[in-house]
Amino acid sequence: MAVNLRGRNVLALDDFSPAELRFLLDMARDLKAAKRAGFEQPRLTGKNIALIFEKDSTRTRSGFEVAAHDQGAHVTYMGPSGSHIGQSETVRDTARVLGRMFDAIEFRGFAQADVETLARNAGVPVYNGLTDSAHPTQILADFMTMREFTHKHLSDIRFAFMGDGRNNMARSLAMGAAKIGMKFTIGAPESLHPDAAFMDKILAVAKQTGAEIRCETEPKAAVAGADFIYTDVWLSMGEAPALWERRITLLKPYQVDAALMAASDNPFVKFMHCLPSFHNAETTIGQDIAKRFGMTAMEVTDEVFESPASIVFDQAENRMHTIKAILVATLG
C-alpha cells in the first residue's frame, strides 16, 4: 500500500490509519540506522520550522531541533513568553502570520483546540508536540522502542499503563494500541478511568483492528502477561499542586515497583516512562514531595527505574527519530 503524508498535519493519532503509523515507524527505523551509520541524507534543506512552546520541554524541543538540524532545516523557538499567541493575538491570526513565513509549525501547549486552530489556518503542516488531550509524537517513539525490545509484532504485544487513565498519555496510548491492534490495559482506580464516550470511540476502532483494550482496577491483574509496563507522573504539567495529596492516595497502589513488575509473570518485561519521572528525591519537586508526604519515589521506584528492565532512555532517544520521520514524511 502506497503511503503519502506530504503536507499532512500530525495533531492526534486518530487521524492516521494503521498503515500510515507503521510507515512512520519504518521510516524512523531507517533514519535512525542512517544516522548511526553516518550516511543520513538531508531532505529538508532550506525548510524553516516554527517551534511554539507554551509548556517547557526537554525531549520534545531537543527532538525537533536535532531532527530538523540533521535534515538541513532551520528552526525558530518561541517559548512561553516568546510570542503573542493567545495573549495579544489570537491563535488564528498567529497561524496566518507564521504560515506565510514557515514551512511547518510545531505546537506544545495546553488546549487541543489551539493546535487544531493552527492547523486550520496556517496552510502548512502543524505538529502536536503535546496538549492536554494528546501526545502523538511520544506514542510513535514508544511503539518504535517496543519494536526494538521484543521479537513480537506490534499487534502481538500486550502492555499496561499504570496511573491516571484520563491523562493525555493513557488516552494516546489507548488510541495507538487500538489503531495498531495491540492488547492494552489501563490500570487505575475507577474514578480515574477514561470517560465512557472516549472508551466507546476506542472500542469502535479496536473492533476494526482486533485490538483488545480494557480498564482494570486491580494492579496485578492489569499487568498480568504484559510485555511492557508503562507509567507517567501522577500530576500532569499545569495541574494544581494542591491535587498531589489526592492523587497520591488514589494512585499509590499503582506505583510500579519490583513486585508489580514480577506480577507480569514475564521475565523479559520492560519498564517504560515518557519522562520526566519522580523516581527519587533529587529534584526540587521530589524533595518537596518527600518532605510533605514521606515518599522518596512516586509513580515508579528508583529500583525499577534504574534496573536493566528500564528502557526509558531508549524511548527518549527515539523521540528524535520519530519526530524526524514526521518531518521528512510531511515536508521532504
Side-chain angles (χ1 to χ4, degrees):
M1 176 182 175
V3 174
N4 182 0
L5 299 180
R6 185 171 176 82
R8 285 278 294 273
N9 300 310
V10 181
L11 309 182
L13 298 184
D14 311 41
D15 307 324
F16 289 83
S17 70
E20 289 169 338
L21 295 176
R22 290 177 185 275
F23 171 79
L24 287 171
L25 291 171
D26 289 345
M27 179 177 282
R29 175 200 60 206
D30 295 344
L31 288 167
K32 181 175 182 176
K35 180 178 174 73
R36 289 192 167 185
F39 58 81
E40 181 173 356
Q41 297 297 313
R43 305 180 198 180
L44 302 178
T45 302
K47 300 293 185 182
N48 291 285
I49 303 168
L51 307 180
I52 303 174
F53 282 75
E54 289 184 340
K55 293 183 177 182
D56 291 329
S57 168
T58 298
R59 282 149 294 279
T60 301
R61 178 179 177 179
S62 300
F64 271 96
E65 290 192 348
V66 175
H69 181 271
D70 283 352
Q71 283 293 309
H74 302 282
V75 300
T76 298
Y77 173 78
M78 303 177 190
S81 61
S83 75
H84 295 135
I85 187 168
Q87 300 174 47
S88 58
E89 183 171 63
T90 67
V91 175
R92 181 168 177 256
D93 289 353
T94 300
R96 291 184 287 182
V97 170
L98 297 183
R100 289 172 179 247
M101 299 181 183
F102 293 91
D103 299 290
I105 301 168
E106 178 274 347
F107 174 83
R108 177 183 172 92
F110 295 92
Q112 181 73 13
D114 286 345
V115 75
E116 292 173 357
T117 298
L118 283 170
R120 283 195 303 272
N121 293 280
V124 298
V126 172
Y127 314 121
N128 180 353
L130 175 142
T131 64
D132 290 347
S133 299
H135 201 356
T137 63
Q138 178 68 54
I139 306 310
L140 287 171
D142 295 338
F143 288 176
M144 180 181 183
T145 309
M146 289 180 184
R147 273 183 163 185
E148 293 175 343
F149 282 90
T150 181
H151 65 281
K152 295 182 178 181
H153 294 295
L154 284 176
S155 55
D156 294 325
I157 288 173
R158 181 180 298 278
F159 72 110
F161 176 87
M162 308 301 291
D164 185 349
R166 308 164 309 165
N167 76 10
N168 53 6
M169 281 308 306
R171 293 163 66 91
S172 295
L173 285 166
M175 177 57 76
K179 288 276 185 175
I180 297 294
M182 303 167 79
K183 302 169 183 65
F184 176 60
T185 302
I186 293 175
E190 190 169 352
S191 62
L192 296 181
H193 285 183
D195 62 85
F198 176 79
M199 288 304 299
D200 287 345
K201 177 181 177 181
I202 291 296
L203 294 175
V205 175
K207 188 174 182 181
Q208 297 175 347
T209 64
E212 298 176 16
I213 313 293
R214 66 189 180 95
C215 296
E216 175 63 62
T217 57
E218 209 290 309
K220 291 185 177 180
V223 303
D227 299 298
F228 301 91
I229 298 176
Y230 201 123
T231 191
D232 190 13
V233 293
W234 290 346
L235 200 66
S236 297
M237 188 182 299
E239 290 191 286
L243 292 174
W244 268 119
E245 185 172 4
R246 173 170 167 75
R247 291 291 170 81
I248 289 171
T249 300
L250 282 170
L251 292 174
K252 191 172 182 180
Y254 300 86
Q255 182 187 65
V256 181
D257 58 14
L260 191 68
M261 295 287 285
S264 68
D265 198 27
N266 177 0
F268 304 108
V269 65
K270 300 298 184 185
F271 170 73
M272 302 182 73
H273 195 303
C274 53
L275 303 180
S277 168
F278 297 126
H279 58 95
N280 57 33
E282 295 178 13
T283 63
T284 301
I285 295 176
Q287 291 169 6
D288 180 57
I289 295 299
K291 182 178 179 180
R292 291 169 59 194
F293 304 107
M295 296 178 64
T296 56
M298 300 293 285
E299 72 277 3
V300 58
T301 62
D302 199 55
E303 178 186 14
V304 171
F305 187 90
E306 298 291 355
S307 74
S310 177
I311 55 174
V312 300
F313 297 110
D314 297 278
Q315 288 175 261
E317 178 191 342
N318 285 338
R319 289 294 308 285
M320 185 259 292
H321 300 299
T322 49
I323 285 169
K324 188 182 294 182
I326 288 170
L327 296 180
V328 171
T330 59
L331 289 178

